[in-house]
Amino acid sequence: SQQGEEDPQALSIQEGENATMNCSYKTSINNLQWYRQNSGRGLVHLILIRSNEREKHSGRLRVTLDTSKKSSSLLITASRAADTASYFCATDGSGGFKTIFGAGTRLFVKA
Amino acid sequence: KAGVTQTPRYLIKTRGQQVTLSCSPISGHRSVSWYQQTPGQGLQFLFEYFSETQRNKGNFPGRFSGRQFSNSRSEMNVSTLELGDSALYLCASQQVINTEAFFGQGTRLTVV
């Protein structure tokens, strides 16, 4: 089964609104990463947060990590139509040497 | 710095055939991972290579195999293709496992 699971599966918002996506995982991790994928293309790395960090910012992105709840959230502020994409969280799976991705959240930002 | 290059970009094969996909990582990256992406299953981990050694393998049948060469380029092979193998196959390179991964554009395989 997947290490990471995103919630919601799909999200539709208006341009200018904030979008929040959540990720839950099952085992202990060293770090958690968020990626974006535009339709049918490769994934682009957004941000990495280490297990000893609680919050991280990058531009309009804010990521939080709660290791006690085994969960993370990605907040995109002041969303734009260009933010329309699928967003994935990824964690290092048990056994090492692999990065496990969740099923993703599909975000649609209406202009 | 050139990105991750996957070839070919698109491929159509017939059931029962075999296929080989290629991935050239970013220069200096020695870790290469492969993923299968389908609408129903999301991104599934196939395997990871480092310095020509497979360090981990996902839950896929033995028809899926791979290798890595001394220049870090990697290939994956799928034998006896099935319709369910139709997917986008993504390759990612990393300097060290579990750090930022750089993805290629993928190879879209269609099995008919």
Side-chain angles (χ1 to χ4, degrees), chain B residues 36-51:
Chain B
Q36 181 196 65
Q37 186 176 31
T38 59
Q41 297 295 317
L43 268 161
Q44 301 282 326
F45 171 79
L46 280 157
F47 22 65
E48 190 263 348
Y49 287 89
F50 184 88
S51 293

Side-chain angles (χ1 to χ4, degrees), chain A residues 2 30-31 33 35 37 40-43 45 48 88 91-103, chain B residues 9 33 35 37 41-45 48 55-57 88 90 94 97-106 108:
Chain A
Q2 295 285 5
N30 293 312
N31 62 56
Q33 304 177 56
Y35 288 81
Q37 183 182 35
R41 306 187 70 179
L43 280 73
H45 184 265
L48 180 152
F88 296 86
T91 58
D92 42 327
S94 59
F97 306 124
K98 60 182 178 181
T99 302
I100 303 297
F101 288 81
Chain B
R9 289 291 310 279
S33 300
Y35 296 84
Q37 186 176 31
Q41 297 295 317
L43 268 161
Q44 301 282 326
F45 171 79
E48 190 263 348
R55 298 195 296 186
N56 211 329
K57 190 177 192 303
L88 180 66
L90 292 164
Q94 297 166 285
I97 189 68
N98 298 324
T99 56
E100 178 182 356
F102 294 84
F103 281 82
Q105 292 298 297
R108 184 162 298 279

Side-chain angles (χ1 to χ4, degrees), chain A residues 53-65:
Chain A
E53 297 176 311
R54 291 296 167 260
E55 189 171 310
K56 205 161 182 180
H57 297 254
S58 176
R60 294 184 296 113
L61 306 180
R62 173 178 166 251
V63 168
T64 61
L65 179 64

Side-chain angles (χ1 to χ4, degrees), chain B residues 45-86:
Chain B
F45 171 79
L46 280 157
F47 22 65
E48 190 263 348
Y49 287 89
F50 184 88
S51 293
E52 302 178 66
T53 300
Q54 184 184 90
R55 298 195 296 186
N56 211 329
K57 190 177 192 303
N59 203 18
F60 278 82
R63 300 184 297 107
F64 291 81
S65 63
R67 58 178 175 169
Q68 187 180 33
F69 302 95
S70 58
N71 61 359
S72 293
R73 190 177 71 84
S74 177
E75 288 182 347
M76 68 162 280
N77 184 277
V78 188
S79 62
T80 320
L81 284 165
E82 300 176 0
L83 295 179
D85 297 333
S86 294

Side-chain angles (χ1 to χ4, degrees), chain A residues 28-89:
Chain A
S28 60
I29 60 171
N30 293 312
N31 62 56
L32 185 144
Q33 304 177 56
W34 285 91
Y35 288 81
R36 183 188 73 227
Q37 183 182 35
N38 290 91
S39 181
R41 306 187 70 179
L43 280 73
V44 174
H45 184 265
L46 294 175
I47 200 164
L48 180 152
I49 186 166
R50 302 193 188 286
S51 59
N52 62 353
E53 297 176 311
R54 291 296 167 260
E55 189 171 310
K56 205 161 182 180
H57 297 254
S58 176
R60 294 184 296 113
L61 306 180
R62 173 178 166 251
V63 168
T64 61
L65 179 64
D66 187 335
T67 53
S68 67
K69 294 181 180 177
K70 292 188 170 57
S71 68
S72 173
S73 67
L74 170 67
L75 168 68
I76 304 174
T77 60
S79 62
R80 306 166 182 166
D83 295 327
T84 294
S86 291
Y87 291 82
F88 296 86
C89 69

